[in-house]
Amino acid sequence: MRFTTLAAFAAATLLAASPAIAQDDRADWPASMTIGTASQGGTYFIYGTGLGGLITQELGINASGEVTGGPVQNSTLIETGDHIMGLVTMGPAYEAWTGVSELAPGVEHKSLRALFPMYQTPFQVVTLASSGIESVADFDGKRVSVGPAGGTAATYWPRYFEILGVSPEISYSGANDAVSQVKDGLIDAFAFAAGVPIAAFAQIAAENDVKIFGFTEEQRGLILTEMPEMAAFDAPGGLYEGFPDESPTVAMWNFAIASDTMPESLAYEITKLVMENTERMVQIHSAAAETTLENIDKNTFMPFHPGAVRYYDEVGIEIPDELRG
């Protein structure tokens, strides 16, 4: 599979604002649209609601982010036609695509179409320093929230626990609720996955003496051996108050996706808007620094929406035939 950038970075010349969209090009656009995100306090919610505001401002369509259970649910909401657009990590999206989603087993989600890459989602844990928990190896018998049911964290943390041979008492809750439960001593740790910095982690770190960690090198090696869809990731130092050093963990790529029913001209304009406004996207969330043309190739299985393909063709990105939706 080969992606080339023959003129990709000549795309810098396209950074001027899009011209007015002809009315006949938007005749089939919906009056409003919902973007499936995840729980409040996580990166998806910030990224998705900010993206909705950008779409509303620049394209004149009422777009908004909606709190959901995360990528697993977002994939199914698009497949069922409840949402026209959503944010997903590529592991849960692949399971939905192949019909092994936990939410809709046996249903191949073949209406999903990729629009653009977002960022990597690393997996991290926060716990009070007083908990005595030093690493995931200390989770046996501990009360651990893994985020909302149906989210990336809730899907993959239990798999990591199995690989590493630990058996915590698992619960499910949104990011803001989970950090409140950590502070109140209702749970021992919150194991999550989101673009960094995670807002809920930053808040608890600023107010409490906490430990934030991913995996040891040995633990990470075991996970990468068992789960090749994951990638090694070193969370940068300085993301959270009191944590100046890098922290090893694993990560998964995120993409914004749409239904194959999204009008081609709308998919084109959304993709163009995001790809040509990196600075504005980074103002929404710093993780959007990875929302760039160089990362188009991080999608290896889901067809791109024809509207997105049209934009990538214009800027010289060659999309393989098998991914031209």
Side-chain angles (χ1 to χ4, degrees):
M1 184 172 298
R2 186 171 61 94
F3 288 74
T4 57
T5 53
L6 303 177
F9 302 104
T13 63
L14 301 176
L15 292 178
S18 301
I21 303 161
Q23 288 302 309
D24 55 350
D25 286 342
R26 57 184 301 160
D28 56 352
W29 287 19
S32 62
M33 58 177 281
T34 301
I35 303 169
T37 64
S39 63
Q40 294 183 8
T43 304
Y44 266 28
F45 182 74
I46 298 170
Y47 190 109
T49 53
L51 173 60
L54 184 62
I55 292 171
T56 299
Q57 180 180 357
E58 297 297 328
L59 301 184
I61 181 173
N62 185 16
S64 60
E66 181 173 301
V67 173
T68 70
V72 176
Q73 186 179 15
N74 291 343
S75 297
T76 298
L77 287 169
I78 290 176
E79 181 66 23
T80 58
D82 292 284
H83 286 180
I84 196 172
M85 184 174 174
L87 312 181
V88 299
T89 37
M90 298 308 274
Y94 181 73
E95 293 187 344
W97 181 261
T98 56
V100 294
S101 166
E102 294 179 354
L103 188 59
V107 178
E108 294 185 353
H109 291 42
K110 296 302 185 183
S111 66
L112 308 183
R113 295 294 182 269
L115 291 177
F116 55 85
M118 293 166 53
Y119 54 83
Q120 296 181 81
T121 287
F123 291 76
Q124 293 183 298
V125 175
V126 64
T127 183
L128 294 179
S130 59
S131 70
I133 296 173
E134 299 289 337
S135 81
V136 177
D138 298 324
F139 275 4
D140 268 333
K142 300 297 185 180
R143 299 161 299 175
V144 179
S145 172
V146 291
T152 300
T155 300
Y156 284 88
W157 272 107
R159 300 178 188 181
Y160 301 153
F161 298 153
E162 183 175 357
I163 291 170
L164 300 178
V166 296
S167 300
E169 296 179 13
I170 294 174
S171 62
Y172 304 92
S173 55
N176 286 343
D177 287 342
V179 295
S180 294
Q181 292 170 25
V182 169
K183 289 191 291 185
D184 294 341
L186 299 176
I187 59 175
D188 299 299
F190 176 34
F192 199 43
V196 293
I198 302 170
F201 279 33
Q203 180 179 349
I204 191 174
E207 299 172 351
N208 300 267
D209 186 9
V210 299
K211 292 186 178 179
I212 296 175
F213 56 85
F215 298 101
T216 65
E217 292 289 355
E218 181 181 0
Q219 290 167 346
R220 181 164 72 174
L222 290 171
I223 290 170
L224 293 177
T225 298
E226 294 292 326
M227 304 179 69
E229 68 268 33
M230 305 306 302
F233 184 89
D234 291 318
L239 291 175
Y240 310 109
E241 188 173 327
F243 295 88
D245 300 323
E246 284 189 348
S247 174
T249 186
V250 297
M252 183 179 293
W253 272 93
N254 301 268
F255 265 70
I257 67 172
S259 168
D260 60 0
T261 63
M262 177 181 279
E264 181 176 333
S265 60
L266 177 56
Y268 170 85
E269 294 294 345
I270 290 174
T271 304
K272 179 181 176 71
L273 176 65
V274 171
M275 290 289 96
E276 297 185 3
N277 285 278
T278 299
E279 288 187 7
R280 293 179 69 179
M281 292 299 298
V282 170
Q283 288 173 1
I284 293 169
H285 196 287
S286 60
E290 293 185 305
T291 303
T292 62
L293 291 170
E294 300 101 306
N295 293 320
I296 299 299
D297 63 351
K298 301 307 186 291
N299 167 37
T300 60
F301 68 89
M302 186 187 301
F304 284 91
H305 193 289
V309 171
R310 177 155 67 95
Y311 173 74
Y312 296 132
D313 283 348
E314 286 182 0
V315 298
I317 302 289
E318 184 178 330
I319 303 296
D321 290 342
E322 63 270 23
L323 296 183
R324 300 176 71 91

